[in-house]
Amino acid sequence: MADENRLVINGNELRFEPGETILEVARRNDIDIPTLCYLKGATPTGACRVCVVEVEGARTLVASCATPAAKGMVVHTESPKVVEARKMIIQLLLSSGNHNCAVRGSDGVDWTAFQLKVQAEDSSEELCPVWGDCRLQDLAYRYQVSGDAFEGTPTPYPMETVNPFIVRDFSRCILCGRCVQACNEVQVNNAINFGYRGSPTKIVAAEDKPLRDSDCVFCGECVQACPVGALVEKNVRYQVRPWETEKVRTTCTYCGVGCQLELHVKDGKVVNVTGAEGAPPNYGSLCVKGRFGYDFIHSEERLTKPLIKEDGRFREATWEEALDRVAGRLSEIKDQSGPDSIGVFTSARITNEENYIANKFTRAVLKTNNIDHCARL
Amino acid sequence: MTNTIGCIEKADVILVTGSNTTENHPVLSSFVKRAVKSRGARLIAVDPRRVKIARHAHMHLRQNLGTDVAWINGMMNVIIAEDLYDKAFVESRTEKFEELKKLVIKYTPDYVEAIAGIPAQQLIDAARMYAGAGVASIVYCMGITQHSHGTDNVKSLANLSMLCGNLGMEGGGVNPLRGQNNVQGACDMGGLPNVYPAYQPVSDLAIAKKFEEAWGVSGLPTKVGLQVTEMVPKAHEGEIKALYIIGENPLVSDPDLNHAEESIAKLEFLVVQDIFMTETAKMAHVVLPSKCFAEKDGTFSNTERRVQRVRTAVPPPAEAWDDWKIICEIGSRMGLPMAYENSEAIFEELRKVTPSYAGITYARIDQEGLHWPCPNEEHPGTPVLHKEQFTRGKGLFHAIEYTPPAELTDDRYPMYLTTGRLLYQYHTGTMTMKSEGLNDRAPECFVEIAPVDAARLGLDDGARVKVASRRGGIKAVVQISSKARPGTVFIPFHYAQAAANRLTHAALDPISGIPEFKVCAVKLEKAA
Ligand code: SF4
Ligand code: SF4
């Protein structure tokens, strides 16, 4: 029965696979349903309710991320009822913390007082650190709402800055639970969870300890999953804005998993690293080395000029001189003691192209097979 | 790996051994953990240390150091005795089963318990669990290979996998994890003493001829060259007079460092090409500055044989050059013109002489890497090896006896030492130790010791201790932890100031040339 698994979304008749949710069918067909808490690959929770849609015949709006598509369903993703509900949700979220992007509202005294409070808590005079890179802000623009419809709430928990990598800013946390899923379902590090159920809820590590004293391994999956400014890389917070950077996709230089990364570059420097979403082998995940271990690139200690040792000390040399010296000495030794008196250690750290060249040089120029690398070590 | 990283999530049972996966291959470990958590896969961990992945396991077998052949034979003993093996697979796709069967008869669970210290019932349960799987994956790392009989360990795991018909299947396979980012590529590209790119033997005259034509040279050497672990002692003996070391730091990573240092000091000429002034570079006559990964174009091949792009993101510091350009300039000065416009031009040349890479182009891997073998441009790549048959046709069982490690404990050196890596540091630390954050998490060398041993020796957590082997000594801080197996201490090898490799033993596996980093005998004393 070819027609069995079909439903209608916004007037389009669409096929679905048994078990697919309304959201999955819609996304597969380029119908945009906004989401906040939905995390691909994890169990949908329906927590934020931003993805609600209207299903004809249903008494209430349903969360499309958690509702399986069913035969004959008629779905509306942007009906007036849906839009009304989304606006309300977004307004509530915006008013529930330090969401000091301009969309929160801009009407005089209240706004100024709010800004001053946030700036004091943040020790910064700028707008929110993820301004321009925030799913909540995007939604506020899309639905043209601000946060001043409801009264603001006080900040219940102080910021955590006592680890080298991640700042946890509970004043901007919307409790969507994406970080909890990223940590427990994607990386399975089981370091964080909802704590103090009821009000005010907090995302906690262990028995509400700082991350560094918990099972956290600083993979940063939670930071990458956070749709707002609650989890931000320490080196990036108030230092780097997304529009100032260019992203370059490359492969991690540490272990053999070969994770795909985006290097974020500002003024010729790598200022942040994120996992490349949607691509194998890592599908956006990274570990602490791949994500936070990039300082060496711009280290002061990098070698910058060829060096030649004279009387036991190094002096700088030009490339010409250094290359001549190496070629000259290797030729002498090859002539005097034979090709097999020379060895080359190529490297598991350099590219395939470079290893190929090292192999060609050793065999075709030095005329020895004394080439190996430290794979065994 | 015979299979892909993604494949791990399709296994019913995963056997992880000799791999501290969560620390050394963290993102890959999440595939294992997810298989367990979301798909209900069973996980068997076999490791002397209580490594973190064991927390996710249904069974954790803690063997004595260096007894891997014994417990693997023991599992096969149970599987054959209880008739749990895959007869169809063994019959149609393998050879020499009878020899294996005859050998493992002796490795009863009780016999193995006496050698490996794994309770007999645990071994039986693990064997049943592994053999009971629809499809089971084996994941291993240097805890298997870094032994004087590492090759035997690897072959034994292959035996086990074949016995249960787990090769050539999605979710199965025998999967070694590569420690460094491009170990796979360095091997694929002929960075080995016995083979050209794509593992074409140097001693094969037809192959030598092919490369002579491709490179426009004559007289390519056909004698197999020396391995790293042979070149260093040969330098000591004066047979090797010059070394050109690119991007490696053997003076922290080599076994028996005191001896290695003496050997390197005897060289007539040492060139080191690197991004930092490493311990090895300090001993060089000439040091050449190279670019790091963020400054270059090219490809890396990961542990699942996936060839992926590396792209230039930032300019290099001052006069650092591409490694290939430096080598080419030296080669040209020595009489063979080597000039390339860019890394892609090199790739175009190498794929002509590397059959397994022949079908890969930069254009094809722009978005997503391809798994070799990929013989032509229409070929989709090969995620799973040995699907229809093995490279040699039929899979060969190797009947292998257990032999003890090269160095055993005695009255003077009563404890075992095993070495390894930490999550927050990498190899000899030249890169990771430039990061304050990583150093904050893993600031210094330590000796991980079981509570009973610490109590016996009167060592407090955080105390300084002297560790000595027959070859040298270091000082480090005591870390009392139930991760350590009683009688065995663990030391990470990253730290040059307290280099674990001053202690390790340079006994080599006769085939792979891998040193026995995972077992040596030491003694501990409170440091003054
Ligand atoms: S950094 Fe990783 S381990 Fe730590 S809380 Fe976030 S997701 Fe969990
Ligand atoms: S991010 Fe971590 S797991 Fe991924 S390749 Fe780099 S070091 Fe390996």
Side-chain angles (χ1 to χ4, degrees):
Chain A
M1 294 252 149
D3 292 329
E4 284 228 311
N5 291 333
R6 281 174 185 274
L7 83 171
V8 176
I9 303 181
N10 297 349
N12 306 296
E13 202 181 69
L14 303 168
R15 280 189 61 82
F16 65 88
E17 298 296 325
E20 255 187 318
T21 61
I22 298 174
L23 179 68
E24 283 163 344
V25 182
R27 291 227 163 141
R28 204 161 39 70
N29 290 285
D30 293 325
I31 296 169
D32 179 30
I33 300 176
T35 56
L36 265 181
C37 72
Y38 174 74
L39 184 65
K40 203 165 175 244
T43 327
T45 59
C48 76
R49 299 200 55 83
V50 162
C51 72
V52 288
V53 294
E54 187 173 349
V55 175
E56 284 183 15
R59 274 185 299 114
T60 52
L61 300 178
V62 303
S64 62
C65 70
T67 309
K71 197 167 52 168
M73 239 182 199
V74 179
V75 179
H76 302 280
T77 70
E78 294 284 337
S79 69
K81 252 164 103 180
V82 169
V83 170
E84 204 44 49
R86 281 192 198 139
K87 280 188 164 174
M88 172 83 104
I89 294 160
I90 300 160
Q91 282 170 326
L92 273 167
L93 290 173
L94 280 173
S95 62
S96 73
N98 287 350
H99 301 289
N100 64 329
C101 47
V103 294
R104 188 181 182 274
S106 45
D107 45 359
V109 185
D110 275 1
W111 174 244
T112 311
F114 171 68
Q115 279 293 349
L116 289 172
K117 160 187 175 261
V118 176
Q119 290 179 353
E121 286 180 9
D122 256 15
S123 337
S124 166
E125 287 173 9
E126 293 180 39
L127 292 177
C128 176
V130 295
W131 203 99
D133 183 19
C134 173
R135 301 298 79 74
L136 182 58
Q137 190 186 25
D138 295 346
L139 285 175
Y141 272 110
R142 173 163 167 179
Y143 291 99
Q144 288 294 306
V145 293
S146 66
D148 51 6
F150 299 94
E151 204 175 325
T153 49
T155 304
Y157 300 106
M159 204 180 304
E160 179 188 320
T161 58
V162 291
N163 72 71
F165 306 114
I166 299 171
V167 173
R168 299 169 81 198
D169 178 355
F170 299 99
S171 75
R172 291 189 171 90
C173 174
I174 57 171
L175 297 171
C176 69
R178 279 188 123 216
C179 58
V180 172
Q181 290 197 305
C183 187
N184 291 272
E185 292 193 38
V186 180
Q187 289 261 357
V188 202
N189 288 327
N190 308 333
I192 51 174
N193 217 324
F194 286 93
Y196 309 109
R197 291 273 178 185
S199 189
T201 303
K202 182 188 182 189
I203 306 296
V204 298
E207 290 91 43
D208 200 10
K209 291 205 188 107
L211 286 181
R212 65 164 187 207
D213 301 322
S214 74
D215 274 341
C216 172
V217 291
F218 296 101
C219 66
E221 190 83 22
C222 55
V223 178
Q224 193 158 330
C226 180
V228 293
L231 295 169
V232 182
E233 299 91 346
K234 201 173 203 170
N235 283 345
V236 170
R237 202 167 186 271
Y238 286 126
Q239 304 295 318
V240 184
R241 298 286 183 172
W243 57 87
E244 301 170 333
T245 64
E246 196 193 322
K247 287 196 227 167
V248 180
R249 162 102 174 256
T250 192
T251 303
C252 178
T253 187
Y254 287 109
C255 87
V257 177
C259 292
Q260 294 298 294
L261 332 157
E262 307 270 11
L263 300 179
H264 301 228
V265 179
K266 177 182 169 184
D267 303 330
K269 296 233 179 321
V270 176
V271 291
N272 193 21
V273 176
T274 52
E277 303 269 3
N282 53 313
Y283 300 95
S285 292
L286 295 177
C287 78
V288 65
K289 290 184 284 277
R291 192 183 296 277
F292 295 111
Y294 57 86
D295 290 347
F296 78 92
I297 300 171
H298 304 295
S299 159
E300 291 282 304
E301 292 170 47
R302 282 286 299 274
L303 293 170
T304 57
K305 283 201 155 74
L307 302 170
I308 292 180
K309 198 179 269 171
E310 254 162 30
D311 305 324
R313 301 181 56 170
F314 284 116
R315 66 162 172 84
E316 289 184 356
T318 62
W319 271 110
E320 276 306 300
E321 187 191 4
L323 294 167
D324 285 344
R325 174 74 63 99
V326 174
R329 287 293 282 136
L330 290 179
S331 299
E332 273 167 35
I333 293 171
K334 183 181 164 197
D335 291 344
Q336 279 164 16
S337 309
D340 289 339
S341 66
I342 305 176
V344 175
F345 290 12
T346 186
S347 174
R349 324 303 326 287
I350 62 176
T351 63
N352 288 327
E353 291 76 359
E354 291 165 334
N355 273 297
Y356 171 78
I357 291 295
N359 134 85
K360 182 172 176 179
F361 169 79
T362 310
R363 298 186 155 113
V365 178
L366 297 178
K367 295 279 168 61
T368 177
N369 284 313
N370 288 343
I371 178 170
D372 199 3
H373 61 280
C374 292
R376 301 177 179 84
L377 309 180
Chain B
M1 291 170 69
T2 59
N3 290 54
T4 67
I5 295 169
C7 239
I8 295 173
E9 264 187 288
K10 299 185 185 142
D12 301 319
V13 169
I14 306 167
L15 171 71
V16 175
T17 182
S19 158
N20 183 1
T21 333
T22 63
E23 297 205 53
N24 296 335
H25 299 90
V27 169
L28 187 143
S29 81
S30 46
F31 284 78
V32 177
K33 294 184 283 183
R34 278 200 302 268
V36 174
K37 179 155 184 170
S38 332
R39 290 206 33 264
R42 310 258 108 190
L43 176 62
I44 307 168
V46 187
D47 202 299
R49 290 178 72 211
R50 193 169 283 145
V51 288
K52 212 170 185 184
I53 192 78
R55 283 202 213 167
H56 300 259
H58 299 87
M59 298 192 66
H60 179 197
L61 277 45
R62 302 182 81 180
Q63 80 278 38
N64 291 329
L65 290 190
T67 61
D68 299 290
V69 168
W71 69 259
I72 301 167
N73 279 347
M75 280 189 50
M76 293 193 286
N77 171 295
V78 175
I79 291 168
I80 294 172
E82 299 192 0
D83 220 16
L84 301 173
Y85 64 100
D86 185 338
K87 285 182 209 72
F89 188 92
V90 168
E91 224 155 82
S92 62
R93 298 205 40 195
T94 68
E95 280 170 14
K96 305 234 161 131
F97 172 67
E98 288 306 319
E99 278 158 54
L100 178 82
K101 188 172 165 185
K102 225 163 76 199
L103 180 116
V104 302
I105 282 181
K106 161 169 116 197
Y107 289 83
T108 61
D110 290 327
Y111 181 73
V112 171
E113 177 168 347
I115 298 171
I118 298 170
Q121 191 56 46
Q122 265 189 23
L123 189 82
I124 295 170
D125 292 345
R128 287 178 184 157
M129 190 182 273
Y130 179 82
V135 56
S137 174
I138 297 178
V139 174
Y140 71 88
C141 194
M142 292 186 216
I144 284 293
T145 55
Q146 288 182 339
H147 290 278
S148 55
H149 44 252
T151 306
D152 287 348
N153 293 347
V154 171
K155 283 182 180 160
S156 299
L157 288 176
N159 284 343
L160 178 61
S161 181
M162 282 198 296
L163 185 64
C164 295
N166 283 321
L167 281 170
M169 280 170 81
E170 296 266 332
V174 183
N175 300 298
L177 306 184
R178 302 297 198 163
Q180 302 186 57
N181 58 329
N182 203 28
V183 169
Q184 185 69 54
C187 295
D188 297 347
M189 289 299 117
L192 292 170
N194 57 339
V195 288
Y196 285 103
Y199 308 94
Q200 304 172 80
V202 293
S203 47
D204 183 330
L205 297 184
I207 299 288
K209 188 143 191 304
K210 174 174 130 183
F211 278 91
E212 284 174 359
E213 274 162 26
W215 292 344
V217 296
S218 61
L220 286 178
T222 53
K223 191 180 103 196
V224 170
L226 299 171
Q227 296 172 342
V228 164
T229 41
E230 293 168 327
M231 283 192 252
V232 174
K234 294 268 185 208
H236 203 270
E237 292 158 24
E239 233 175 276
I240 289 282
K241 300 202 182 309
L243 283 178
Y244 180 0
I245 300 181
I246 304 165
E248 299 275 9
N249 190 13
L251 288 186
V252 178
S253 64
D254 260 27
D256 193 358
L257 269 186
N258 294 348
H259 188 263
E261 264 166 21
E262 277 173 34
S263 309
I264 299 287
K266 290 198 168 165
L267 289 169
E268 280 177 26
F269 189 58
L270 174 65
V271 195
V272 173
Q273 181 168 312
D274 211 312
I275 62 173
F276 288 112
M277 182 57 80
T278 62
E279 288 70 19
T280 310
K282 282 183 192 145
M283 297 190 67
H285 299 92
V286 179
V287 176
L288 303 172
S290 57
K291 292 186 188 175
C292 81
F293 86 113
E295 296 144 6
K296 41 168 92 155
D297 276 296
T299 55
F300 289 152
S301 299
N302 77 350
T303 190
E304 50 169 3
R305 295 169 285 105
R306 194 194 286 271
V307 183
Q308 309 192 100
R309 277 301 313 275
V310 176
R311 293 186 182 84
T312 304
V314 291
E319 295 180 33
W321 281 10
D322 278 300
D323 286 284
W324 62 262
K325 186 174 160 199
I326 306 173
I327 307 169
C328 286
E329 288 283 341
I330 297 169
S332 301
R333 279 171 169 73
M334 291 179 72
L336 180 69
M338 293 171 82
Y340 299 88
E341 200 180 320
N342 50 33
S343 68
E344 188 170 11
I346 302 172
F347 195 86
E348 283 301 309
E349 175 179 315
L350 76 84
R351 75 190 186 94
K352 290 199 185 77
V353 292
T354 311
S356 51
Y357 281 60
I360 303 174
T361 63
Y362 275 22
R364 287 191 74 190
I365 58 170
D366 187 52
Q367 290 301 313
E368 209 169 278
L370 284 168
H371 300 270
W372 67 259
C374 178
N376 59 61
E377 284 182 44
E378 282 69 50
H379 194 282
T382 312
V384 180
L385 289 180
H386 315 308
K387 264 205 162 147
E388 307 302 326
Q389 59 169 20
F390 296 103
T391 323
R392 67 178 292 278
K394 291 215 169 180
L396 193 61
F397 281 111
H398 296 269
I400 298 168
E401 287 284 5
Y402 160 74
T403 42
E407 188 174 70
L408 298 174
T409 52
D410 59 17
D411 290 347
R412 285 185 55 217
Y413 298 96
M415 296 198 72
Y416 280 113
L417 163 70
T418 191
T419 64
R421 304 166 194 239
L422 303 174
L423 172 64
Y424 297 100
Q425 297 292 356
Y426 179 76
H427 217 55
T428 67
T430 50
M431 287 157 43
T432 45
M433 286 179 198
K434 303 295 182 294
S435 164
E436 265 179 54
L438 296 175
N439 287 338
D440 180 72
R441 300 298 299 166
E444 61 176 345
C445 192
F446 60 85
V447 185
E448 177 188 283
I449 183 169
V452 284
D453 292 328
R456 188 169 43 77
L457 292 166
L459 296 170
D460 295 326
D461 202 46
R464 288 189 72 75
V465 65
K466 227 183 110 198
V467 188
S469 76
R470 289 183 176 80
R471 293 154 295 275
I474 61 168
K475 282 184 197 159
V477 169
V478 172
Q479 203 172 88
I480 299 177
S481 165
S482 60
K483 269 179 165 176
R485 196 178 197 292
T488 300
V489 296
F490 165 83
I491 304 180
F493 76 83
H494 307 294
Y495 300 91
Q497 309 82 348
N501 283 323
R502 297 212 179 272
L503 310 168
T504 51
H505 195 199
L508 303 183
D509 178 273
I511 295 158
S512 69
I514 299 180
E516 188 143 61
F517 287 115
K518 296 302 183 205
V519 195
C520 74
V522 295
K523 64 177 174 200
L524 271 68
E525 267 166 24
K526 258 191 220 168

